[in-house]
């Protein structure tokens, strides 16, 4: 499975001057270490493997390309559609709960 890095370890690592210089050489700005960790930990389990972290960091290099922006837009659109569907279900359930019981 490989080396696993937890969020607190990541924060310590990212503050190291040699790591900061390496990230700068890779053209990856570290403005928000916690936000960067969240990006590297999409499952939100508080840990990343070293292998997945390296792969993700390599994808973050440089300026965003048009295909990166389009992929983000498509993902956001899909999430929006799922949220809309969830909202419909919640509204139906709420209407059912708020209906008075049938009289006999």
């Amino acid at each position: 499975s490989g080396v696993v890095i937890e969020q607190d370890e990541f924060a310590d690592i990212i503050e190291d001057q040699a790591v900061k210089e390496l990230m700068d050489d890779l053209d990856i700005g570290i403005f928000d270490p916690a936000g960067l960790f969240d990006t590297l930990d999409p499952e939100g389990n508080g840990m990343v493997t070293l292998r997945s972290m390296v792969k993700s960091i390599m994808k973050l290099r440089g300026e965003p390309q048009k295909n990166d922006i389009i992929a983000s837009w498509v993902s956001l659109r899909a999430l929006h559609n799922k949220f809309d569907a969830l909202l419909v279900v919640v509204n139906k359930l709420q209407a059912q709960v708020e209906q008075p019981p049938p009289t006999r």
Side-chain angles (χ1 to χ4, degrees):
S1 69
V3 177
V4 175
I5 300 171
E6 294 183 0
Q7 189 167 5
D8 57 340
E9 295 172 304
F10 179 80
D12 292 340
I13 292 168
I14 211 72
E15 290 300 321
D16 182 88
Q17 189 59 37
V19 173
K20 286 181 178 182
E21 290 173 11
L22 177 62
M23 297 296 267
D24 191 47
D25 288 346
L26 292 171
D27 198 21
I28 299 172
I30 306 297
F31 307 106
D32 178 17
L36 177 59
F37 185 84
D38 290 342
T39 300
L40 302 176
D41 178 27
E43 292 86 27
N45 60 11
M47 60 183 73
V48 295
T49 64
L50 185 57
R51 175 179 286 169
S52 69
M53 185 174 79
V54 169
K55 285 181 181 180
S56 296
I57 285 174
M58 295 310 290
K59 291 178 182 177
L60 291 173
R61 294 181 66 194
E63 295 296 318
Q65 301 297 312
K66 188 174 185 176
N67 63 329
D68 296 325
I69 295 168
I70 291 170
S72 295
W73 181 83
V74 168
S75 295
L76 183 59
R77 187 75 184 161
L79 182 60
H80 185 270
N81 290 339
K82 288 180 181 180
F83 182 79
D84 285 347
L86 177 62
L87 188 58
V88 168
V89 170
V90 168
N91 286 336
K92 285 180 181 178
L93 290 174
Q94 185 178 13
Q96 289 175 357
V97 169
E98 291 174 351
Q99 281 184 341
T103 57
R104 293 183 186 206

